[in-house]
Amino acid sequence: MAYHFDFIAVWEYREQLATGALHTLGLIAVGATLGVSLGTLGAVSRAWKIKPFDKIFTVYVEAIRNTPFLVQLFFIFFGLPALGVKLDEWTAAIIAMVVNLGAYSTEIIRAGIQAIPRGQIEAASSLAMTRAQIFRHIVLRPALQKVWPALTSQVVIVMLGSSVCSQISATELTYAANFIQSRNFRAFETYITVALMYLVLAFCVRWLLNKFGSHFVNGRKTT
Amino acid sequence: MDLVRIDAVHKHFGSNHVLKGIDLRIGAGEVVAIIGRSGSGKSTLLRSINGLESIDDGQIEVDGEKLTAGQTDLRALRQKVGMVFQQFNLFPHLKVGENVMLAPQVVKKMSRADCEPIAKAMLAKVGLAEKFDAYPDQLSGGQQQRVAIARALAMQPKVMLCDEITSALDPELVNEVLAVVKQLAVEGMTLIMVTHEMRFARDVGNKLVFMYQGKVHESGDPKELFANPQTPELQSFIGAIN
């Protein structure tokens, strides 16, 4: 009684799979943009001890990095309505991803900011630049440049982690997989297909971020 | 008329009393060399003149801009005081020209079109006009330091602070940097430099300040002091160098 593989049974649901993949990409596009922005604010607050934000971000980072993403997501989607905050599944998913990535990228980008030699900042200060000007013109790009590979990895991790958003009925890729295998009972074919799709998505996101990094972050052709 | 007035300046690093009441007057166009053993407070004094080190007591005044203990807004003062560092501290992600133009654009809100001729003129002054589009890491140490001088000059400061600007250079590159500084002195720029280049201090400087244990121990005309040091400490310092 050898198992008879039937990938046609998955192919029939190609539209759901394509939609799911697009939704996953959409989630990470918005999540990464806002998450890394939040992380940048957190990183500069912590690295330069900007009161009171440095303390607030410290508590936030520890709270998020020491609790499971699924619990964070459930708290936002199922817990917050108790306070009258009712969110649809997409808003909840995006907020959860932004909050999660924001915490991790705070720590990643902080490392980059702290790796900027003090002399650079002193030179800029001696030219009468303000702290905000120094951050924007002297610190930000080299700091991101130093940690870009780590940041790219974290974005991919959060994209793969977004599969748990299926649990609040956000119709992303894993939701599509669950839906399909409950219809065709082809769990092996469905999940191996979706796993391969995640693999391809992850490669694409990594490639895209590398491209973006060498263009906008490095801003300089490497010879 | 004094351009720089330093009055009773004190500075502590924790329990270490680094500056113990410094008084100094520097006139426009003077070239001042600060010498002394390491730990005598000479770099701290220089760095306090543009507020990179805060002072605990006393007052510093540069061209009418006052700096006192606990002061936080230093931008007006810093626009009048340029600084060149031992480690060059060029911004590695910006081209040479952008390094020079950044502060005029960001601080003085000048347009790029207005900044470019200034930047090019300053780079020409230090002999690096052709390096406008190079990146700092494509330059030698001596060239980087000359760019750093051009970058400070582009803000048109009244005083230039030089903090051991040849100490990180290979010996054969020292002279190209000193030649630029000498040219600035000849053109009438007020220079305050912490230096180990004693011959340069004697030949180009017109005031020598010898610091010892956080105080100005002896000061005056460099040629006279080198020939005829009054205190045993300066005598032994000069003796140790020669």
Side-chain angles (χ1 to χ4, degrees):
Chain A
M1 47 172 271
Y3 186 78
H4 181 73
F5 292 105
D6 182 10
F7 281 95
I8 301 293
V10 179
W11 177 247
E12 283 171 0
Y13 292 95
R14 58 192 175 278
E15 268 176 40
Q16 277 93 336
L17 286 174
T19 309
L22 278 179
H23 285 167
T24 291
L25 277 178
L27 277 177
I28 195 59
V30 180
T33 311
L34 298 179
V36 171
S37 306
L38 179 64
T40 305
L41 291 178
V44 69
S45 303
R46 291 201 69 188
W48 287 2
K49 302 199 168 35
I50 298 170
K51 290 180 174 85
F53 303 103
D54 55 340
K55 293 271 158 43
I56 296 170
F57 271 105
T58 304
V59 172
Y60 155 68
V61 163
E62 292 310 321
I64 297 303
R65 294 204 310 167
N66 294 296
T67 51
F69 180 59
L70 184 63
V71 173
Q72 295 162 13
L73 180 71
F74 279 0
F75 175 77
I76 290 168
F77 188 68
F78 297 118
L80 286 186
L83 302 178
V85 183
K86 277 196 156 175
L87 302 166
D88 65 67
E89 70 275 23
W90 292 112
T91 315
I94 296 262
I95 290 175
M97 286 169 76
V98 168
V99 165
N100 188 270
L101 182 59
Y104 283 93
S105 58
T106 289
E107 289 304 88
I108 293 172
I109 298 168
R110 182 166 73 111
I113 292 176
Q114 286 174 337
I116 303 294
R118 233 177 78 117
Q120 302 265 317
I121 293 163
E122 289 188 345
S125 305
S126 77
L127 291 163
M129 290 169 71
T130 62
R131 289 229 290 181
Q133 290 167 341
I134 293 171
F135 181 71
R136 176 160 164 233
H137 295 283
I138 306 302
V139 172
L140 182 58
R141 242 172 66 190
L144 285 177
Q145 204 170 320
K146 284 177 204 296
V147 298
W148 197 253
L151 213 49
T152 299
S153 287
Q154 193 61 41
V155 169
V156 170
I157 288 170
V158 169
M159 183 189 78
L160 299 179
S162 74
S163 66
V164 305
C165 297
S166 60
Q167 296 304 306
I168 60 167
S169 305
T171 57
E172 44 69 72
L173 187 52
T174 303
Y175 181 92
N178 295 340
F179 173 82
I180 293 164
Q181 74 87 32
S182 71
R183 292 295 181 86
N184 64 8
F185 303 110
R186 291 285 173 176
F188 182 93
E189 292 89 334
T190 306
Y191 285 118
I192 194 89
T193 303
V194 166
L196 286 171
M197 288 177 73
Y198 270 114
L199 196 72
V200 171
L201 287 182
F203 272 118
C204 290
V205 167
R206 224 176 259 282
W207 179 83
L208 217 72
L209 286 174
N210 282 340
K211 279 276 162 211
F212 183 84
S214 53
H215 256 85
F216 294 98
V217 182
N218 291 331
R220 170 179 178 182
K221 284 138 223 100
T222 38
T223 44
Chain B
M1 172 58 190
D2 298 322
L3 186 64
V4 180
R5 305 163 66 96
I6 300 172
D7 290 302
V9 164
H10 285 264
K11 166 78 182 173
H12 297 78
F13 285 123
S15 61
N16 187 7
H17 198 170
V18 229
L19 299 179
K20 300 173 184 167
I22 304 285
D23 297 294
L24 210 56
R25 296 277 181 282
I26 294 162
E30 271 197 298
V31 176
V32 181
I34 304 174
I35 61 169
R37 290 187 203 287
S38 67
S40 60
K42 54 191 194 306
S43 267
T44 308
L45 173 62
L46 193 77
R47 289 162 56 84
S48 64
I49 296 174
N50 73 348
L52 282 184
E53 300 290 353
S54 61
I55 56 175
D56 298 329
D57 200 8
Q59 180 176 293
I60 294 173
E61 191 176 331
V62 180
D63 193 32
E65 299 294 343
K66 288 193 180 71
L67 186 160
T68 50
Q71 187 165 334
T72 50
D73 188 9
L74 301 159
R75 275 172 296 162
L77 173 89
R78 282 174 172 166
Q79 290 202 38
K80 297 190 169 178
V81 183
M83 186 156 186
V84 184
F85 300 83
Q86 185 176 354
Q87 297 295 341
F88 329 139
N89 294 337
L90 295 183
F91 308 130
H93 59 298
L94 300 177
K95 291 176 181 174
V96 164
E98 293 167 335
N99 263 276
V100 180
M101 289 187 293
L102 182 66
Q105 281 181 293
V106 169
V107 177
K108 292 189 169 173
K109 313 284 180 206
M110 291 169 66
S111 72
R112 195 191 152 100
D114 290 338
C115 291
E116 219 175 282
I118 296 174
K120 288 195 163 139
M122 295 307 154
L123 285 171
K125 191 192 269 282
V126 300
L128 292 170
E130 77 284 2
K131 297 293 184 188
F132 192 87
D133 288 316
Y135 279 98
D137 61 11
Q138 296 167 327
L139 305 182
S140 73
Q143 290 173 327
Q144 290 192 43
Q145 193 60 295
R146 283 146 66 198
V147 172
I149 293 171
R151 179 176 69 180
L153 287 176
M155 288 295 279
Q156 290 158 331
K158 295 281 189 340
V159 191
M160 285 277 273
L161 310 177
C162 303
D163 191 4
E164 299 195 30
I165 63 170
T166 56
S167 298
L169 294 174
D170 292 338
E172 76 271 20
L173 302 176
V174 168
N175 282 332
E176 67 183 58
V177 172
L178 291 183
V180 168
V181 178
K182 187 173 179 177
Q183 185 58 35
L184 290 180
V186 168
E187 289 170 10
M189 173 62 80
T190 309
L191 291 163
I192 308 174
M193 45 193 187
V194 168
T195 184
H196 294 296
E197 301 288 333
M198 294 304 151
R199 181 175 299 162
F200 188 78
R202 186 175 53 201
D203 296 346
V204 179
N206 39 36
K207 184 171 196 167
L208 190 74
V209 173
F210 173 62
M211 298 227 5
Y212 184 75
Q213 293 185 346
K215 287 182 174 160
V216 176
H217 203 61
E218 209 171 323
S219 70
D221 178 73
K223 291 180 184 70
E224 220 154 86
L225 281 194
F226 275 116
N228 220 342
Q230 299 299 305
T231 59
E233 289 78 16
L234 180 56
Q235 270 168 22
S236 85
F237 181 72
I238 292 172
I241 289 162
N242 289 337

